[in-house]
Amino acid sequence: MLTIQAQSNIPTDFGMFTVYAFSEYEEDWNPHLVWVAENTDFSKTVNVRFHSECITGEIFHSKKCECGQQLDAAMKYMSENGGMIIYLRQEGRNIGIINKLRAYALQEKGFDTVEANLKLGLPADGRNFDVAVEMLKLLNVKEINLLTNNPDKLKSLENSGIILHHRVPLEIESNDVNESYLSKKKDYFGHLLEKV
């Protein structure tokens, strides 16, 4: 069972957040994180973002995806409106950074993001959002608005006991590199994208 292993207040470019580290074991060096903006009231409807780790996009500003820009936009939104970001350690749609780089190498040979994963014998998307729902329950959050374009994240809340009031779109403009990637997200995964 997940438990809160540590928490601390962290000032950011977007404002002050309280950060909780969730894991099953204290020795886990890669815990899931929950970033809660300082003006957040858990007893009311909480704005929430389920965000999966993306080292390449968030830290090194890769143009192959929009993950870093989505994270920045979510932090700004939560700071201004209250809410939390549930940061899931599911790099590369949960295939890990090594396999993600292998998939990128295949994409350089003409495979798209889904074909590359499948050629490696990996799922197109191996993420599981049940852990995010579990963390919401541990924080006693009962009603949310979810910042997402991903229908799988919406489905993860069905029969969870957590009330979903609204979906808040979090769409980022494409660039010359990631346009086909975003199109695949829309056409294959059914992401709710209007600008693609």
Side-chain angles (χ1 to χ4, degrees), residues 31-56:
H32 300 298
L33 302 173
V34 178
W35 290 71
V36 181
E38 62 181 341
N39 54 336
T40 303
D41 185 346
F42 288 0
S43 70
K44 297 180 180 177
T45 301
V46 179
N47 298 310
V48 175
R49 164 81 179 158
F50 296 169
H51 188 94
S52 296
E53 178 179 42
C54 177
I55 292 170
T56 50

Side-chain angles (χ1 to χ4, degrees), residues 167 169 171 186 191-196:
R167 178 185 78 89
E171 192 164 356
K186 180 177 182 177
H191 284 210
L192 305 167
L193 300 172
E194 296 182 359
K195 298 178 182 179
V196 177

